[in-house]
């Protein structure tokens, strides 16, 4: 990941993924589940695919490590972000370019 971050001018942050699927990405409550349980359901009302919940937690950890200040808003149409990071069926030299307005490298 670090190689591709450097290649495409993106900041990469290593994050320990331990317990990211157990912690609720909405309220932080620990919701124990077996590996065969694929849906995260919390008492706070948060219901997500287990991997989606983990991805949100990993992103939050990365942003807090990188010194990001602010709130993560998922699916915000006004947020800067790419709808797709790759072009289907393309090799790496044909990948979609980002239209993001990136802050300077840390």
């Amino acid at each position: 990941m670090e190689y591709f971050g450097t290649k495409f001018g993106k900041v990469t942050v290593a994050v320990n993924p331990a317990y990211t699927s157990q912690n609720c990405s909405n309220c932080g409550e620990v919701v124990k589940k077996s590996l065969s349980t694929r849906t995260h359901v919390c008492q706070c009302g948060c219901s997500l695919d287990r991997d989606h919940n983990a991805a949100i937690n990993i992103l939050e950890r990365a942003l807090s490590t990188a010194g990001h200040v602010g709130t993560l808003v998922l699916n915000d149409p006004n947020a800067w972000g790419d709808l797709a990071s790759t072009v289907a069926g393309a090799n790496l030299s044909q990948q979609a370019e980002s239209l993001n307005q990136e802050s300077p490298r840390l």
Side-chain angles (χ1 to χ4, degrees):
M1 292 305 294
E2 188 173 328
Y3 168 80
F4 286 108
T6 301
K7 182 172 177 66
F8 294 106
K10 304 294 180 181
V11 175
T12 57
V13 179
V15 174
N16 182 354
Y19 303 106
T20 54
S21 65
Q22 301 284 328
N23 297 338
C24 180
S25 59
N26 188 51
C27 71
E29 186 73 27
V30 176
V31 181
K32 296 286 185 182
K33 56 184 84 72
S34 68
L35 286 174
S36 63
T37 303
R38 301 308 308 160
T39 304
H40 168 81
V41 180
C42 183
Q43 292 178 347
C44 74
C46 180
S47 178
L48 296 169
D49 177 81
R50 175 191 188 109
D51 295 336
H52 188 176
N53 180 64
I56 293 169
N57 286 330
I58 289 169
L59 177 60
E60 286 288 347
R61 285 185 187 182
L63 292 176
S64 68
T65 301
H68 174 79
V69 178
T71 304
L72 172 66
V73 179
L74 297 177
N75 300 320
D76 180 353
N78 297 316
W80 295 335
D82 291 331
L83 295 177
S85 60
T86 60
V87 175
N91 64 32
L92 288 177
S93 65
Q94 299 169 315
Q95 297 305 313
E97 292 188 31
S98 173
L99 298 177
N100 284 352
Q101 297 176 357
E102 299 289 338
S103 61
R105 296 195 95 198
L106 299 176

